[in-house]
Amino acid sequence: MTTMTGGRWAACALVVPPEARIDIGLLDRLGGFACLGRGGFGSEVAATVYAAGDDLLVEAAIPELAIKALLFRADRAERVAAFREAIAARFAVCTEQILRDMLYQTLPRSPWTLVAMAMALGGGPAERQTRDLLRACRNHDDAEVRAAALYADTVAEELRHLPVIRLEADPHKPARVLGADQPTLDGRDRITVRSPTMEHAMPGCVTWLRLVPGSGCADDVALWAEDAHWDLELIHDDADSAWSQHIYCDPVSRSALHILRHPASEHAYVAVHGANSEPTVGALRTALDAEVLTGPPAGWGRTAD
C-alpha cells in the first residue's frame, strides 16, 4: 500500500491474470463502482477506469505482453485494505515483492516479468530492493534483460499519472484491434470486410464463416461473444441502410469479429480477424456448426450499394 500526494490518497496495485475480468458482482462488492470510460496512461498502458465517488479503480493492461494490473486509489486506508482483500479472494494476485522474488530466481529466462513488477508499483515509489534490481538489469549482459528493464521504466513512469479516458467512443475511429497486424508488400493475401461504415472496414487476413440455417444465426454469434466477455465496439443497424453489422472485440487477445447481414446475401456471415483468430474460428465452428469459407462470400460485390 502506498500513500500518495502528501498523505491525501492511499493506493495499491495488484497484478492479476490477463484473463481476469471485472464484472458487476465485483464492482458491487467493492462499493458500487461504475465505468467512466476507456483510455490509457500514455503510449504503452491501456486503461479502463471505474469510479465510486472520489475513489478510483483502474484496470491497466499491456495486451501485447498479456500483463494486467488492478490499481485502486481511495482517501481512506481501510478502503484500500478492503479492496486488496476482495481482489485476492477473487483472483490469483502478485505484488511488487512477489514478482521481485520471482525475478531473483528466473532472470534471464523471464525478463519481461520486470514489466509486471513495474505495473505492481501502480505509480507509487519502488522499494529499495526493486530499484536495485532494475538498476542491475539496465546494465545486464543480456540484451533482452536490458530491453525489458528500460520498458519497465517507461511503464512505471506512465503509471505515475492519472489515465486519460474517452467518455464516449468515437464512432469514426476503428478499434485498434481491427487493424492489420503485419503489412504485406503486394497485398494479395489481404482482403477488406466491406462495411456500412467505411471507417470500420477491417483490413487484414480475415477468416469468413457462413451461418448455416438451422444450426445458428447472427443472434447466436452475439450471445457467444457476450458469454466470452468480448466487448461490443459497434452496432450499425440503420433503417436507411440495407446493412446490419455488429463488431465485437477481445482486447486481451486482440481479435475481432464482424457479424454482417445484407439482403443481397442469402446468409448471415461472420468475419474473424486478429492476433488470436484461429481459436475463435474453432470455437464458433463447434458452437454453431458454422461453415468456414476459403474467401469472401460468393456475390459479396452485390452488397456494395
Side-chain angles (χ1 to χ4, degrees):
M1 188 183 304
T2 304
T3 300
M4 303 175 66
T5 319
R8 182 182 177 188
W9 299 103
C12 74
L14 296 169
V15 172
V16 296
E19 65 273 12
R21 298 282 181 174
I22 295 178
D23 56 26
I24 296 298
L26 180 58
L27 293 175
D28 287 342
R29 181 176 180 182
L30 294 175
F33 279 80
C35 184
L36 290 182
R38 294 178 179 170
F41 287 88
S43 62
E44 306 301 332
V45 185
T48 302
V49 182
Y50 303 83
D54 291 332
D55 296 347
L56 289 180
L57 168 62
V58 181
E59 183 181 36
I62 305 177
E64 292 82 359
L65 296 179
I67 297 174
K68 180 181 289 187
L70 301 181
L71 319 180
F72 190 82
R73 191 180 78 168
D75 58 0
R76 292 178 292 129
E78 56 267 28
R79 286 279 290 148
V80 177
F83 163 80
R84 291 175 63 95
E85 181 180 350
I87 299 303
R90 182 70 173 273
F91 307 117
V93 301
C94 286
T95 63
E96 172 190 0
Q97 296 86 356
I98 291 173
L99 292 164
R100 187 177 64 234
D101 290 344
M102 290 171 55
L103 284 160
Y104 286 147
Q105 303 298 321
T106 60
L107 268 176
R109 297 194 307 274
S110 58
W112 295 98
T113 304
L114 289 165
V115 182
M117 185 175 65
M119 294 278 278
L121 299 177
E127 295 180 353
R128 180 184 58 79
Q129 298 96 318
T130 299
R131 296 196 303 271
D132 291 343
L133 176 59
L134 286 169
R135 186 180 304 111
C137 289
R138 292 186 205 110
N139 300 297
H140 200 278
D141 292 338
D142 190 302
E144 189 175 9
V145 173
R146 295 196 302 271
L150 292 174
Y151 191 73
D153 289 341
T154 299
V155 168
E157 178 60 32
E158 285 194 7
L159 293 178
R160 291 192 178 96
H161 307 281
L162 288 175
V164 175
I165 61 174
R166 301 182 298 272
L167 296 180
E168 295 183 2
D170 183 351
H172 299 297
K173 184 178 180 181
R176 180 184 178 191
V177 72
L178 299 184
D181 285 331
Q182 297 292 334
T184 58
L185 294 177
D186 56 18
R188 287 181 298 177
D189 61 343
R190 313 193 78 81
I191 59 173
T192 298
V193 175
R194 184 175 292 109
S195 166
T197 306
M198 291 313 296
E199 292 84 356
H200 289 87
M202 179 166 53
C205 300
V206 178
T207 301
W208 287 87
L209 299 97
R210 177 167 54 207
L211 301 180
V212 180
S215 62
C217 65
D219 290 339
D220 294 325
V221 180
L223 288 173
W224 178 91
E226 291 167 4
D227 288 342
H229 305 292
W230 286 42
D231 297 327
L232 179 60
E233 295 286 349
L234 172 76
I235 298 177
H236 184 99
D237 197 354
D238 193 336
D240 296 330
S241 171
W243 281 94
S244 173
Q245 175 182 222
H246 290 60
I247 299 176
Y248 286 86
C249 294
D250 179 13
V252 175
S253 68
R254 299 191 66 242
S255 297
L257 61 86
H258 285 222
I259 305 170
L260 296 145
R261 286 170 285 193
H262 191 279
S265 297
E266 180 181 359
H267 304 288
Y269 293 90
V270 179
V272 181
H273 165 270
N276 197 35
S277 60
E278 291 185 3
T280 301
V281 171
L284 289 172
R285 289 186 65 184
T286 301
L288 302 176
D289 195 27
E291 179 184 354
V292 178
L293 306 180
T294 58
W300 195 241
R302 295 195 306 273
T303 66
D305 298 329

